[in-house]
Amino acid sequence: MPMQKVVDSAGHSMKLYVHERKPYLFGMPQFNPYMLENLPDCQLRDDDVILVSYPKSGCHWLWEVTRLLVSGRTTTDKVNKENAMMEMSELEGNGSIDDIPSPRILNNHYFFENQPKDLLRKRVKTVLLYRNPKDVAVSFFHHHTRLQNYCYTGRDFPSYLHRFVDGLVDSNCIFDWLASWERAINEHKDLNICIMCYEDLQENPLAEFRRLAKFLGKDYEDDHLQQVIKATSIETMREQKGFLYSDNSGAIMFRKGKVGDWKNHFTIAQSEWFDHVTRTRMGHSKLYNFRYDL
Ligand code: A3P
């Protein structure tokens, strides 16, 4: 699978894996090309939980929350989300996802069409996390301009926004990604899935954590859930895990963690244009309720 410099309409390039297995066309440079190609045949365990999300939707956060809810613990440990990220892992051997003891909380950014076949076959519990696309665009902009591996040559948000809408980024276009999952949910009634929204989690973590816990077969007192909320606050997580991907400006994966940061980046004209694109691409959706403000 070739790594290529993918050039956008402004002439900026970004290094990405480009692979045959559509619709998941582009992968992060750190990913394992073998996994990108072979994920559909990856064997899942009956008690696995798979967290799926488009990049920058809050996966690091919800992965920690899910681990705590499944284990019953109220403090995080040293294991990082990347250890359980399917595209980054090896299939077997030391440090692979096969090495993780059950119950595994795995995560990936794949379209539904490229998920392991076992997801449906074994009715593996799947948690889908989504976030409003404007904040995703801003978060991804910081991700791409700050993480060196991409060798992204652009620096300005206006041209990045076009790149983002054109889907010339890892996991391709957010609208296609979301549509892929909505189609799957409509077509496969036996998909064992719980839908979580980043903004709902921010607004009412107690109710949303309780709902997730129930899906995972757990029932906790409010006190216990409050401890999980505290342990997974962005401040705590930044302190504990922020060193992994960071630069002079701080932690890249635990940056602001706010709803509405898009207002600091979008002009009014860009916002109206983006709303139009979103309506055109997602107007038919009955699943997603994008919340741009709290
Ligand atoms: P921002 O860049 O807008 O701050 P992912 O984990 O899918 O890569 O998503 C990263 C986004 O989730 C970043 O958004 C990050 O700050 C935010 N995030 C990470 N941990 C969080 C937490 N504990 N609470 C709220 N948001 C969090």
Side-chain angles (χ1 to χ4, degrees):
M1 179 192 312
M3 176 99 80
Q4 285 181 20
K5 287 184 176 175
V6 179
V7 180
D8 60 30
S9 55
H12 298 308
S13 67
M14 181 186 287
K15 265 192 181 173
L16 294 167
Y17 273 119
V18 180
H19 52 103
E20 301 298 316
R21 197 179 275 287
K22 292 178 184 168
Y24 191 122
L25 194 59
F26 299 127
M28 191 180 190
Q30 289 98 318
F31 287 171
N32 175 352
Y34 178 82
M35 284 302 273
L36 288 172
E37 288 297 331
N38 292 291
L39 199 90
D41 298 319
C42 171
Q43 290 190 353
L44 298 181
R45 302 176 194 159
D46 291 329
D47 59 356
D48 280 341
V49 177
I50 313 286
L51 171 58
V52 296
S53 59
Y54 187 80
K56 312 322 289 177
S57 301
C59 181
H60 284 77
W61 181 22
L62 201 60
W63 181 78
E64 295 285 354
V65 172
T66 308
R67 284 186 83 223
L68 293 191
L69 294 178
V70 167
S71 67
R73 288 186 289 105
T74 52
T75 50
T76 57
D77 59 18
K78 287 207 168 91
V79 183
N80 289 308
K81 179 196 88 88
E82 282 68 20
N83 297 76
M85 185 170 194
M86 300 176 88
E87 303 95 318
M88 228 176 228
S89 167
E90 299 290 332
L91 201 53
E92 6 184 74
N94 242 350
S96 69
I97 49 171
D98 198 39
D99 227 19
I100 301 175
S102 294
R104 298 184 300 184
I105 317 300
L106 303 174
N107 65 90
N108 73 62
H109 294 320
Y110 274 56
F111 280 64
F112 172 76
E113 288 81 355
N114 298 146
Q115 290 293 326
K117 295 189 195 96
D118 276 353
L119 201 74
L120 278 178
R121 213 183 279 150
K122 296 190 171 172
R123 298 205 69 230
V124 169
K125 282 189 177 143
T126 306
V127 179
L128 183 150
L129 172 65
Y130 75 96
R131 182 182 192 187
N132 86 64
K134 286 182 184 170
D135 278 332
V136 171
V138 168
S139 186
F140 225 173
F141 171 69
H142 286 277
H143 176 105
H144 283 131
T145 49
R146 290 169 63 183
L147 283 175
Q148 300 301 310
N149 309 48
Y150 289 101
C151 304
Y152 176 46
T153 58
R155 282 292 169 268
D156 64 302
F157 186 68
S159 76
Y160 180 82
L161 196 56
H162 282 279
R163 179 174 195 111
F164 176 77
V165 165
D166 290 344
L168 300 177
V169 290
D170 17 351
S171 295
N172 310 19
C173 179
I174 186 170
F175 303 122
D176 292 336
W177 191 97
L178 292 167
S180 154
W181 278 97
E182 182 159 6
R183 224 174 15 250
I185 289 164
N186 290 334
E187 282 171 14
H188 302 284
K189 295 295 174 209
D190 51 350
L191 201 56
N192 194 0
I193 196 162
C194 173
I195 317 287
M196 307 295 301
C197 164
Y198 180 89
E199 292 77 21
D200 294 348
L201 284 161
Q202 287 269 17
E203 186 178 57
N204 197 345
L206 190 64
E208 290 303 286
F209 285 19
R210 190 182 297 112
R211 185 168 70 83
L212 178 59
K214 200 168 166 210
F215 174 73
L216 298 169
K218 308 284 181 184
D219 187 14
Y220 295 112
E221 300 287 333
D222 283 3
D223 274 2
H224 182 98
L225 291 176
Q226 290 291 4
Q227 289 180 60
V228 175
I229 292 172
K230 202 162 162 219
T232 56
S233 74
I234 187 149
E235 292 78 18
T236 310
M237 287 186 61
R238 189 185 291 130
E239 202 176 304
Q240 291 179 348
K241 311 209 166 184
F243 64 90
L244 196 58
Y245 292 97
S246 62
D247 63 7
N248 295 340
S249 310
I252 299 171
M253 301 301 165
F254 307 101
R255 199 182 59 93
K256 284 195 179 174
K258 297 266 182 269
V259 179
D261 190 34
W262 63 271
K263 291 176 201 161
N264 298 316
H265 291 75
F266 281 66
T267 63
I268 291 174
Q270 281 167 348
S271 175
E272 286 175 357
W273 170 75
F274 196 87
D275 287 342
H276 171 74
V277 174
T278 307
R279 265 196 311 276
T280 310
R281 301 292 305 275
M282 301 298 300
H284 61 280
S285 172
K286 293 188 172 52
L287 185 65
Y288 306 111
N289 176 26
F290 299 135
R291 305 181 63 198
Y292 296 96
D293 233 334
L294 285 187

Short mmCIF file of all heavy atoms in Angstrom, two decimals, residues 53-62 65 81-82 109 129 131 135-136 138-140 142-143 198 202 229 231-238 251-259 261, ligand 1:
data_model
loop_
_atom_site.label_atom_id
_atom_site.label_comp_id
_atom_site.label_asym_id
_atom_site.label_seq_id
_atom_site.Cartn_x
_atom_site.Cartn_y
_atom_site.Cartn_z
N SER A 53 -15.45 5.93 15.47
CA SER A 53 -15.70 7.37 15.37
C SER A 53 -14.91 7.91 14.18
O SER A 53 -13.89 7.33 13.80
CB SER A 53 -15.24 8.09 16.64
OG SER A 53 -13.86 7.87 16.85
N TYR A 54 -15.39 9.01 13.63
CA TYR A 54 -14.58 9.76 12.68
C TYR A 54 -13.50 10.45 13.52
O TYR A 54 -13.77 10.83 14.68
CB TYR A 54 -15.45 10.80 11.95
CG TYR A 54 -14.70 11.50 10.84
CD1 TYR A 54 -14.53 10.89 9.60
CD2 TYR A 54 -14.15 12.76 11.05
CE1 TYR A 54 -13.81 11.53 8.60
CE2 TYR A 54 -13.44 13.40 10.05
CZ TYR A 54 -13.27 12.78 8.82
OH TYR A 54 -12.56 13.41 7.83
N PRO A 55 -12.26 10.60 13.00
CA PRO A 55 -11.21 11.23 13.82
C PRO A 55 -11.65 12.57 14.42
O PRO A 55 -12.45 13.30 13.82
CB PRO A 55 -10.07 11.45 12.81
CG PRO A 55 -10.29 10.43 11.75
CD PRO A 55 -11.78 10.23 11.66
N LYS A 56 -11.13 12.85 15.58
CA LYS A 56 -11.32 14.11 16.32
C LYS A 56 -12.73 14.29 16.90
O LYS A 56 -13.16 15.41 17.19
CB LYS A 56 -10.96 15.34 15.46
CG LYS A 56 -9.65 15.27 14.74
CD LYS A 56 -8.54 14.62 15.51
CE LYS A 56 -8.03 15.44 16.66
NZ LYS A 56 -6.98 14.65 17.41
N SER A 57 -13.43 13.19 17.07
CA SER A 57 -14.78 13.27 17.62
C SER A 57 -14.81 13.01 19.12
O SER A 57 -15.89 12.98 19.74
CB SER A 57 -15.69 12.25 16.91
OG SER A 57 -15.72 12.54 15.53
N GLY A 58 -13.63 12.79 19.73
CA GLY A 58 -13.57 12.56 21.18
C GLY A 58 -13.29 11.12 21.55
O GLY A 58 -13.62 10.68 22.65
N CYS A 59 -12.64 10.40 20.63
CA CYS A 59 -12.40 8.97 20.84
C CYS A 59 -11.53 8.69 22.07
O CYS A 59 -11.81 7.76 22.84
CB CYS A 59 -11.76 8.40 19.57
SG CYS A 59 -11.44 6.66 19.66
N HIS A 60 -10.48 9.52 22.27
CA HIS A 60 -9.61 9.29 23.44
C HIS A 60 -10.43 9.35 24.73
O HIS A 60 -10.24 8.55 25.63
CB HIS A 60 -8.49 10.35 23.51
CG HIS A 60 -7.39 10.12 22.53
ND1 HIS A 60 -7.51 10.43 21.20
CD2 HIS A 60 -6.15 9.60 22.69
CE1 HIS A 60 -6.39 10.12 20.57
NE2 HIS A 60 -5.54 9.62 21.44
N TRP A 61 -11.34 10.28 24.78
CA TRP A 61 -12.18 10.47 25.96
C TRP A 61 -13.10 9.26 26.18
O TRP A 61 -13.09 8.62 27.23
CB TRP A 61 -12.99 11.75 25.77
CG TRP A 61 -13.90 12.13 26.89
CD1 TRP A 61 -13.80 11.74 28.20
CD2 TRP A 61 -15.05 12.98 26.81
NE1 TRP A 61 -14.81 12.31 28.94
CE2 TRP A 61 -15.58 13.08 28.11
CE3 TRP A 61 -15.66 13.69 25.77
CZ2 TRP A 61 -16.72 13.84 28.38
CZ3 TRP A 61 -16.78 14.45 26.05
CH2 TRP A 61 -17.31 14.52 27.34
N LEU A 62 -13.88 8.95 25.13
CA LEU A 62 -14.89 7.91 25.33
C LEU A 62 -14.26 6.52 25.49
O LEU A 62 -14.84 5.65 26.15
CB LEU A 62 -15.90 7.90 24.17
CG LEU A 62 -17.22 7.24 24.51
CD1 LEU A 62 -17.94 7.92 25.68
CD2 LEU A 62 -18.16 7.17 23.31
N VAL A 65 -13.55 6.34 29.14
CA VAL A 65 -14.82 6.20 29.87
C VAL A 65 -15.32 4.75 29.74
O VAL A 65 -15.69 4.11 30.74
CB VAL A 65 -15.88 7.18 29.29
CG1 VAL A 65 -17.25 6.92 29.90
CG2 VAL A 65 -15.46 8.63 29.50
N LYS A 81 -5.01 4.75 24.47
CA LYS A 81 -5.98 4.39 23.42
C LYS A 81 -5.28 3.79 22.20
O LYS A 81 -5.79 2.86 21.57
CB LYS A 81 -6.76 5.64 23.01
CG LYS A 81 -7.77 5.39 21.92
CD LYS A 81 -8.23 6.68 21.28
CE LYS A 81 -7.37 7.11 20.14
NZ LYS A 81 -7.71 6.59 18.83
N GLU A 82 -4.09 4.31 21.89
CA GLU A 82 -3.39 3.85 20.70
C GLU A 82 -3.05 2.34 20.79
O GLU A 82 -2.96 1.67 19.77
CB GLU A 82 -2.12 4.67 20.47
CG GLU A 82 -2.36 6.05 19.86
CD GLU A 82 -3.09 7.03 20.79
OE1 GLU A 82 -3.07 6.82 22.03
OE2 GLU A 82 -3.67 8.01 20.28
N HIS A 109 -11.30 3.96 13.18
CA HIS A 109 -11.95 5.05 12.47
C HIS A 109 -12.48 4.58 11.11
O HIS A 109 -12.62 5.36 10.18
CB HIS A 109 -10.97 6.20 12.21
CG HIS A 109 -10.50 6.90 13.46
ND1 HIS A 109 -11.32 7.19 14.51
CD2 HIS A 109 -9.27 7.39 13.79
CE1 HIS A 109 -10.62 7.81 15.45
NE2 HIS A 109 -9.38 7.94 15.04
N LEU A 129 -19.45 7.10 18.14
CA LEU A 129 -19.36 8.46 18.68
C LEU A 129 -19.29 9.46 17.54
O LEU A 129 -18.51 9.27 16.60
CB LEU A 129 -18.09 8.58 19.54
CG LEU A 129 -17.71 9.97 20.04
CD1 LEU A 129 -18.74 10.52 21.02
CD2 LEU A 129 -16.33 9.95 20.70
N ARG A 131 -19.57 13.92 16.46
CA ARG A 131 -19.42 15.29 16.98
C ARG A 131 -19.79 16.25 15.85
O ARG A 131 -19.66 15.90 14.67
CB ARG A 131 -17.94 15.48 17.37
CG ARG A 131 -17.59 16.81 17.97
CD ARG A 131 -16.10 16.90 18.27
NE ARG A 131 -15.77 18.04 19.08
CZ ARG A 131 -14.53 18.43 19.38
NH1 ARG A 131 -13.49 17.73 18.93
NH2 ARG A 131 -14.32 19.49 20.13
N ASP A 135 -16.62 21.63 14.65
CA ASP A 135 -15.58 21.44 15.67
C ASP A 135 -14.61 20.32 15.27
O ASP A 135 -13.43 20.38 15.60
CB ASP A 135 -16.22 21.13 17.04
CG ASP A 135 -16.67 22.40 17.76
OD1 ASP A 135 -16.06 23.47 17.52
OD2 ASP A 135 -17.62 22.33 18.57
N VAL A 136 -15.13 19.32 14.55
CA VAL A 136 -14.23 18.26 14.06
C VAL A 136 -13.21 18.88 13.09
O VAL A 136 -12.00 18.60 13.17
CB VAL A 136 -15.02 17.12 13.37
CG1 VAL A 136 -14.07 16.16 12.67
CG2 VAL A 136 -15.88 16.37 14.38
N VAL A 138 -12.05 21.91 12.92
CA VAL A 138 -11.07 22.73 13.65
C VAL A 138 -10.07 21.82 14.38
O VAL A 138 -8.86 22.02 14.33
CB VAL A 138 -11.78 23.68 14.64
CG1 VAL A 138 -10.78 24.30 15.60
CG2 VAL A 138 -12.53 24.75 13.87
N SER A 139 -10.58 20.80 15.04
CA SER A 139 -9.71 19.89 15.79
C SER A 139 -8.75 19.16 14.85
O SER A 139 -7.56 19.01 15.13
CB SER A 139 -10.59 18.89 16.56
OG SER A 139 -9.81 18.09 17.40
N PHE A 140 -9.27 18.75 13.69
CA PHE A 140 -8.44 18.03 12.70
C PHE A 140 -7.39 18.99 12.10
O PHE A 140 -6.27 18.58 11.80
CB PHE A 140 -9.34 17.48 11.59
CG PHE A 140 -9.04 16.05 11.19
CD1 PHE A 140 -9.87 15.36 10.29
CD2 PHE A 140 -7.93 15.36 11.68
CE1 PHE A 140 -9.61 14.05 9.91
CE2 PHE A 140 -7.66 14.04 11.31
CZ PHE A 140 -8.51 13.40 10.42
N HIS A 142 -5.86 21.41 13.68
CA HIS A 142 -4.75 21.47 14.64
C HIS A 142 -3.95 20.16 14.61
O HIS A 142 -2.72 20.16 14.69
CB HIS A 142 -5.28 21.75 16.05
CG HIS A 142 -5.72 23.17 16.20
ND1 HIS A 142 -4.83 24.19 16.49
CD2 HIS A 142 -6.94 23.76 16.06
CE1 HIS A 142 -5.49 25.34 16.53
NE2 HIS A 142 -6.76 25.11 16.28
N HIS A 143 -4.65 19.06 14.50
CA HIS A 143 -4.02 17.74 14.43
C HIS A 143 -3.06 17.67 13.22
O HIS A 143 -1.90 17.32 13.36
CB HIS A 143 -5.16 16.72 14.31
CG HIS A 143 -4.80 15.29 14.12
ND1 HIS A 143 -4.89 14.35 15.13
CD2 HIS A 143 -4.38 14.61 13.03
CE1 HIS A 143 -4.54 13.17 14.67
NE2 HIS A 143 -4.21 13.29 13.41
N TYR A 198 -20.84 13.72 21.13
CA TYR A 198 -19.84 14.44 21.95
C TYR A 198 -20.48 15.57 22.76
O TYR A 198 -20.19 15.74 23.94
CB TYR A 198 -18.76 14.99 21.01
CG TYR A 198 -17.65 15.76 21.69
CD1 TYR A 198 -16.51 15.10 22.16
CD2 TYR A 198 -17.73 17.14 21.85
CE1 TYR A 198 -15.49 15.81 22.77
CE2 TYR A 198 -16.71 17.86 22.46
CZ TYR A 198 -15.59 17.19 22.92
OH TYR A 198 -14.57 17.89 23.53
N GLN A 202 -20.81 16.19 26.83
CA GLN A 202 -20.33 17.40 27.51
C GLN A 202 -21.43 18.01 28.37
O GLN A 202 -21.19 18.46 29.47
CB GLN A 202 -19.89 18.44 26.47
CG GLN A 202 -18.61 18.13 25.77
CD GLN A 202 -17.41 18.73 26.49
OE1 GLN A 202 -17.51 19.10 27.64
NE2 GLN A 202 -16.30 18.82 25.82
N ILE A 229 -16.55 10.49 35.85
CA ILE A 229 -16.56 11.80 35.17
C ILE A 229 -15.28 12.56 35.53
O ILE A 229 -14.59 13.12 34.67
CB ILE A 229 -17.82 12.62 35.55
CG1 ILE A 229 -19.07 11.95 34.98
CG2 ILE A 229 -17.70 14.06 35.08
CD1 ILE A 229 -20.39 12.54 35.46
N ALA A 231 -12.43 11.37 36.72
CA ALA A 231 -11.21 10.69 36.24
C ALA A 231 -10.97 10.89 34.76
O ALA A 231 -9.85 10.76 34.27
CB ALA A 231 -11.31 9.19 36.55
N THR A 232 -12.04 11.19 34.01
CA THR A 232 -11.90 11.32 32.56
C THR A 232 -12.08 12.77 32.10
O THR A 232 -12.31 13.02 30.92
CB THR A 232 -12.91 10.41 31.82
OG1 THR A 232 -14.24 10.75 32.28
CG2 THR A 232 -12.64 8.95 32.09
N SER A 233 -11.98 13.71 33.04
CA SER A 233 -12.07 15.12 32.63
C SER A 233 -10.85 15.44 31.76
O SER A 233 -9.81 14.79 31.89
CB SER A 233 -12.07 16.03 33.85
OG SER A 233 -10.77 16.10 34.39
N ILE A 234 -11.00 16.40 30.90
CA ILE A 234 -9.88 16.72 30.00
C ILE A 234 -8.64 17.14 30.79
O ILE A 234 -7.51 16.80 30.41
CB ILE A 234 -10.26 17.75 28.92
CG1 ILE A 234 -9.10 17.89 27.92
CG2 ILE A 234 -10.63 19.10 29.50
CD1 ILE A 234 -9.51 18.21 26.54
N GLU A 235 -8.83 17.81 31.91
CA GLU A 235 -7.68 18.25 32.71
C GLU A 235 -6.90 17.04 33.23
O GLU A 235 -5.67 16.97 33.11
CB GLU A 235 -8.14 19.11 33.88
CG GLU A 235 -8.72 20.46 33.52
CD GLU A 235 -10.16 20.39 33.01
OE1 GLU A 235 -10.83 19.35 33.26
OE2 GLU A 235 -10.62 21.34 32.34
N THR A 236 -7.64 16.07 33.79
CA THR A 236 -6.97 14.87 34.32
C THR A 236 -6.28 14.09 33.21
O THR A 236 -5.14 13.67 33.33
CB THR A 236 -8.01 13.95 35.03
OG1 THR A 236 -8.76 14.75 35.92
CG2 THR A 236 -7.34 12.83 35.77
N MET A 237 -7.00 13.93 32.11
CA MET A 237 -6.43 13.13 31.02
C MET A 237 -5.23 13.82 30.39
O MET A 237 -4.25 13.16 30.02
CB MET A 237 -7.51 12.83 29.97
CG MET A 237 -8.51 11.81 30.47
SD MET A 237 -9.71 11.30 29.23
CE MET A 237 -8.66 10.58 28.00
N ARG A 238 -5.30 15.13 30.28
CA ARG A 238 -4.16 15.89 29.71
C ARG A 238 -2.92 15.69 30.58
O ARG A 238 -1.81 15.46 30.08
CB ARG A 238 -4.52 17.36 29.60
CG ARG A 238 -3.50 18.18 28.83
CD ARG A 238 -3.84 19.65 28.85
NE ARG A 238 -5.02 19.98 28.08
CZ ARG A 238 -6.04 20.71 28.52
NH1 ARG A 238 -6.03 21.18 29.75
NH2 ARG A 238 -7.07 20.99 27.75
N ALA A 251 -0.63 19.52 24.60
CA ALA A 251 -1.15 18.21 24.19
C ALA A 251 -2.05 18.35 22.96
O ALA A 251 -2.95 19.18 22.94
CB ALA A 251 -1.93 17.60 25.34
N ILE A 252 -1.80 17.53 21.95
CA ILE A 252 -2.56 17.64 20.71
C ILE A 252 -3.88 16.86 20.80
O ILE A 252 -4.91 17.31 20.31
CB ILE A 252 -1.70 17.17 19.51
CG1 ILE A 252 -0.47 18.06 19.39
CG2 ILE A 252 -2.51 17.18 18.21
CD1 ILE A 252 0.58 17.60 18.40
N MET A 253 -3.84 15.72 21.45
CA MET A 253 -5.06 14.90 21.57
C MET A 253 -5.99 15.41 22.67
O MET A 253 -7.15 15.05 22.72
CB MET A 253 -4.71 13.43 21.83
CG MET A 253 -3.86 12.81 20.75
SD MET A 253 -4.71 12.88 19.14
CE MET A 253 -3.34 12.53 18.05
N PHE A 254 -5.44 16.19 23.61
CA PHE A 254 -6.26 16.76 24.69
C PHE A 254 -6.09 18.27 24.64
O PHE A 254 -5.49 18.87 25.51
CB PHE A 254 -5.81 16.18 26.05
CG PHE A 254 -5.79 14.67 26.04
CD1 PHE A 254 -4.60 13.97 25.88
CD2 PHE A 254 -6.98 13.96 26.15
CE1 PHE A 254 -4.60 12.58 25.84
CE2 PHE A 254 -6.98 12.58 26.11
CZ PHE A 254 -5.79 11.88 25.97
N ARG A 255 -6.59 18.86 23.59
CA ARG A 255 -6.35 20.27 23.31
C ARG A 255 -7.31 21.12 24.13
O ARG A 255 -7.09 21.33 25.31
CB ARG A 255 -6.51 20.48 21.79
CG ARG A 255 -5.88 21.73 21.22
CD ARG A 255 -6.16 21.83 19.72
NE ARG A 255 -7.57 21.85 19.40
CZ ARG A 255 -8.30 22.95 19.24
NH1 ARG A 255 -7.73 24.13 19.34
NH2 ARG A 255 -9.59 22.89 18.95
N LYS A 256 -8.42 21.56 23.55
CA LYS A 256 -9.35 22.41 24.31
C LYS A 256 -10.50 21.60 24.92
O LYS A 256 -10.92 21.86 26.03
CB LYS A 256 -9.94 23.48 23.40
CG LYS A 256 -9.00 24.62 23.09
CD LYS A 256 -9.78 25.78 22.51
CE LYS A 256 -8.89 26.96 22.21
NZ LYS A 256 -9.60 28.04 21.52
N GLY A 257 -11.04 20.68 24.13
CA GLY A 257 -12.15 19.87 24.61
C GLY A 257 -13.41 20.68 24.87
O GLY A 257 -14.11 20.46 25.85
N LYS A 258 -13.70 21.61 23.96
CA LYS A 258 -14.87 22.49 24.14
C LYS A 258 -15.85 22.31 22.98
O LYS A 258 -15.46 21.90 21.89
CB LYS A 258 -14.42 23.96 24.14
CG LYS A 258 -13.49 24.33 25.28
CD LYS A 258 -14.30 24.89 26.44
CE LYS A 258 -13.42 25.32 27.60
NZ LYS A 258 -13.19 24.27 28.59
N VAL A 259 -17.08 22.68 23.24
CA VAL A 259 -18.06 22.74 22.15
C VAL A 259 -18.08 24.19 21.66
O VAL A 259 -18.21 25.12 22.46
CB VAL A 259 -19.47 22.35 22.65
CG1 VAL A 259 -20.49 22.45 21.51
CG2 VAL A 259 -19.45 20.94 23.24
N ASP A 261 -15.60 25.70 19.57
CA ASP A 261 -14.32 26.33 19.23
C ASP A 261 -14.29 26.76 17.76
O ASP A 261 -13.50 27.61 17.36
CB ASP A 261 -13.16 25.36 19.53
CG ASP A 261 -11.80 26.02 19.44
OD1 ASP A 261 -11.70 27.21 19.79
OD2 ASP A 261 -10.84 25.36 18.99
P1 A3P B 1 -10.28 19.66 20.41
O1 A3P B 1 -9.15 19.56 19.44
O2 A3P B 1 -11.47 20.42 19.86
O3 A3P B 1 -9.89 20.18 21.74
P2 A3P B 1 -10.06 12.24 19.30
O4 A3P B 1 -9.77 11.67 20.62
O5 A3P B 1 -11.15 11.53 18.56
O6 A3P B 1 -8.82 12.44 18.49
O7 A3P B 1 -10.68 13.70 19.55
C1 A3P B 1 -9.89 14.72 20.08
C2 A3P B 1 -10.79 15.82 20.56
O8 A3P B 1 -11.43 15.40 21.78
C3 A3P B 1 -9.99 17.06 20.92
O9 A3P B 1 -10.84 18.17 20.65
C4 A3P B 1 -9.77 16.86 22.40
O10 A3P B 1 -9.42 18.03 23.11
C5 A3P B 1 -11.11 16.31 22.83
N1 A3P B 1 -11.01 15.60 24.11
C6 A3P B 1 -10.04 14.74 24.50
N2 A3P B 1 -10.24 14.33 25.75
C7 A3P B 1 -11.37 14.94 26.18
C8 A3P B 1 -12.08 14.92 27.42
N3 A3P B 1 -11.66 14.19 28.45
N4 A3P B 1 -13.20 15.67 27.51
C9 A3P B 1 -13.63 16.42 26.46
N5 A3P B 1 -13.00 16.48 25.27
C10 A3P B 1 -11.87 15.75 25.13
#
